[in-house]
Amino acid sequence: MAVDIVYTPTKTAVTQQEDAVMYYSARNVCEKLKILNDVRHVGNGGFDALGRDGGVVYVVGHGNAGGKIGTHADALGAKSLMKAMLADGLPKNPGGTVTIHLYACASGTSVRTGYLLWRKDPYAMRFAKYLAEAGFNDFMIVGYVGFMNLSGKHSLNYHMQKSKETVWSGSALARGDDAPTITFRVNAGACARVQGEEWKQYSEVRVHRGRANSLVATIRK
């Protein structure tokens, strides 16, 4: 029987006090999958259970500007995540398809950080390539286009007005569903995009008189 797993790429379980967004998002996914708050982390992922019939994994965390998934202090890049999941028993040749959702901000989006001119390929694409290079077969990797909020949903825009005051917006929230996704198929030593379009993240700093500057981020085609 296929299994469902919720996983944070962190060394220990994430607490509400440590990171409320990750904590509530992971538990919201558990509720969606009808799992009783069984959130796993590095060292107890138990991915060998996917070996017989495959299943679904939700990797939940912050996207850290497209670089890593986890908390802001404890996170893994695409290659490190592949190695951690392999060490936790992720089968290279499962008996059924394994779908891995990278449930984090902008995991399906190309990101440019700082003043650099070049963009990083989407985290989901990089992760899929590392799986293919390592010899994994019959995997689907799903990246999320939007920014994740406390409800565990994604929106296409956010405005950080203060360090602890963020406003999410975009059509995804208006419809009550989630933002677009992009999917890569990993099989026979290769990976290819099989669903979704190319999206790019843009960020700008707004300068204000008499108060701290704010950050606006948006994702568009």
Side-chain angles (χ1 to χ4, degrees), residues 15 21 30 47 65 78 105 108 131 144-147 153-154 166 168 172 186 212:
T15 66
V21 171
C30 283
F47 297 122
C105 290
L131 287 178
Y144 285 73
V145 168
F147 303 104
K153 292 288 188 179
H154 294 77
T166 303
W168 288 272
V186 176

Side-chain angles (χ1 to χ4, degrees), residues 3-14:
V3 299
D4 297 327
I5 296 173
V6 180
Y7 176 82
T8 60
T10 54
K11 301 180 185 67
T12 58
V14 177

Side-chain angles (χ1 to χ4, degrees), residues 103-114:
Y103 207 74
C105 290
S107 61
T109 307
S110 67
V111 178
R112 186 177 67 204
T113 57

